[in-house]
Amino acid sequence: MMDVAAYAAPSAGAPLEKSTITRRNVGEHDVLIDIEFAGICHSDIHTVRDEWGAQQYPLAPGHEIVGRVTEVGSDVSRHQVGDLVGVGCMVNSCQECAACEEGLEQYCLQGNIGTYGVVDKDGTITQGGYSTHVVVDEKFVVRVPESLDEAAVTPLLCAGITLYSPLRHWGVTEGTKVAIIGMGGLGHVGVKIASAMGAEVTVLSHSDKKREDAATFGARHYVNTTDEDEMKALAGTFDLIINTVSVNLPMADYLALLRYDGTLVELGAPSKPLEVPAFALIPARKSLAGSCIGGIAETQEMLDFCAEHDITAEIELIDADRINEAYDRVVASDVRYRFVIDAKTF
């Protein structure tokens, strides 16, 4: 076993602090990764603050990980020492069910094993990327293109695949009319990816603060959702709407923006149930759907696509002693657009 430096929450709601966590020995199918950067996702905050159900503490979060392979198990074939690699939201799954066999490990019928805060196959609780090293089964490690900035590529391991997967699944291509609700940590990456796919992208935001950024990222249109006339003018416009915000929106108003056979995909997770009038869907065969992250193969596809189009996240790089400050700023929406931690400072 290997003790490594980390930042962890000692209890629910407590600030994260310097800690030591234990990593398992490198097994025959494992790789040991020297972590270089770890992204901060809002999910980390929800989890360590015990807002998504009881957790076991201490808990080191972090499921956006980029680093170098420093050791491989005897049967590892996918990665070599020195490779630049990444780990996202999963570190294992049953690898036997129908979903796993289709490369949809995120929908594992036995439940995928998350990068932190989940019981692993050996009975231990997984600990995440806010640490200097991690040991992961090679099947759940992806290759990071060397052409991309290592720090700025880190959020793609969660935010990038969370947006890429529904864009691919619903067939976005040249000329597809896509609207993205919210242009924060998730949404800004979605604008870049959808634009690179050739879509005509519209950002729907509750203020004008990010209008110039949206154009820089590739959006052709930007609509302030508080402007009722502008919203009404969009009725029947979009093939696909992706909602990245975790608030209870007036769903009928947004479903009205879809053309016939259009789909609104929910990525945000509001605390209260969504209210969806049946006749917001029925008359034009509209759909309301959800989407999670992507499987490992699709995550690799996403990274390769981003390398081809030079897509990374917009980040603010911080030292580990600023994690708690960063958490408060994320909650206050005071970041453009993702925080990434320099793992040397753990």
Side-chain angles (χ1 to χ4, degrees):
M1 305 292 280
M2 175 182 178
D3 290 336
V4 302
Y7 262 68
S11 61
L16 277 72
E17 59 187 35
K18 287 185 177 181
S19 181
T20 299
I21 61 176
T22 301
R23 299 299 191 187
R24 68 174 182 264
N25 290 327
V26 176
E28 57 187 13
H29 296 289
D30 289 334
V31 297
L32 172 64
I33 301 169
D34 184 346
I35 299 173
E36 297 184 355
F37 299 100
I40 291 178
C41 177
H42 208 144
S43 300
D44 302 343
I45 302 170
H46 287 305
T47 303
V48 301
R49 292 183 175 178
D50 210 13
E51 296 170 352
W52 281 354
Q55 296 292 325
Q56 294 191 41
Y57 297 90
L59 179 63
H63 57 208
E64 299 172 347
I65 302 167
V66 169
R68 295 277 175 185
V69 175
T70 57
E71 184 180 345
V72 298
S74 58
D75 289 341
V76 168
S77 60
R78 300 186 182 193
H79 308 286
Q80 300 178 5
V81 171
D83 285 354
L84 184 64
V85 296
V87 178
C89 301
M90 302 177 288
V91 292
N92 221 320
S93 71
C94 80
Q95 301 180 38
E96 297 176 348
C97 69
C100 288
E101 288 182 350
E102 290 185 36
L104 300 172
E105 298 93 345
Q106 75 273 32
Y107 302 129
C108 175
L109 301 182
Q110 303 300 317
N112 70 68
I113 295 174
T115 307
Y116 61 84
V118 178
V119 179
D120 207 343
K121 288 185 175 181
D122 62 2
T124 62
I125 303 298
T126 56
Q127 300 287 344
Y130 292 14
S131 60
T132 58
H133 297 79
V134 66
V135 178
V136 183
D137 185 299
E138 66 167 331
K139 293 180 181 178
F140 288 80
V141 177
V142 292
R143 175 185 50 80
V144 174
E146 295 275 1
S147 62
L148 295 175
D149 178 88
E150 293 178 26
V153 76
T154 302
L156 300 186
L157 275 304
C158 175
I161 188 57
T162 298
L163 272 295
Y164 184 86
S165 188
L167 290 168
R168 283 282 282 120
H169 180 77
W170 274 277
V172 170
T173 187
E174 191 74 32
T176 305
K177 293 187 175 182
V178 174
I180 294 180
I181 303 172
M183 205 180 74
L186 289 175
H188 89 284
V189 177
V191 171
K192 291 184 177 186
I193 293 174
S195 298
M197 289 177 170
E200 181 179 334
V201 180
T202 299
V203 171
L204 303 177
S205 179
H206 67 279
S207 77
D208 289 317
K209 292 188 297 184
K210 299 177 181 178
R211 187 180 292 272
E212 290 186 8
D213 283 356
T216 300
F217 301 154
R220 298 195 202 175
H221 313 286
Y222 188 101
V223 173
N224 188 324
T225 58
T226 64
D227 187 320
E228 294 183 5
D229 291 336
E230 277 199 281
M231 289 291 283
K232 287 179 181 178
L234 294 177
T237 295
F238 300 110
D239 302 296
L240 182 69
I241 300 174
I242 296 182
N243 180 24
T244 70
V245 301
S246 293
V247 298
N248 286 84
L249 298 174
M251 297 303 292
D253 293 349
Y254 285 88
L255 289 165
L257 307 184
L258 291 171
R259 70 190 296 273
Y260 62 88
D261 282 333
T263 300
L264 191 158
V265 180
E266 187 73 20
L267 301 182
S271 57
K272 297 180 180 179
L274 301 175
E275 294 186 6
V276 183
F279 279 94
L281 300 171
I282 291 171
R285 201 164 57 189
K286 299 176 183 180
S287 299
L288 174 63
S291 181
C292 191
I293 50 173
I296 299 304
E298 189 173 50
T299 301
Q300 186 64 66
E301 178 184 302
M302 176 274 301
L303 288 171
D304 293 340
F305 178 90
C306 288
E308 179 183 352
H309 296 277
D310 195 25
I311 294 172
T312 55
E314 304 297 311
I315 68 164
E316 183 175 335
L317 186 64
I318 63 169
D319 289 348
D321 61 7
R322 293 181 58 200
I323 291 174
N324 294 303
E325 171 197 341
Y327 273 26
D328 290 337
R329 286 180 57 192
V330 169
V331 172
S333 299
D334 179 27
V335 56
R336 289 194 175 183
Y337 284 83
R338 301 284 284 205
F339 284 112
V340 173
I341 309 161
D342 184 344
K344 294 193 300 292
T345 63
F346 286 128

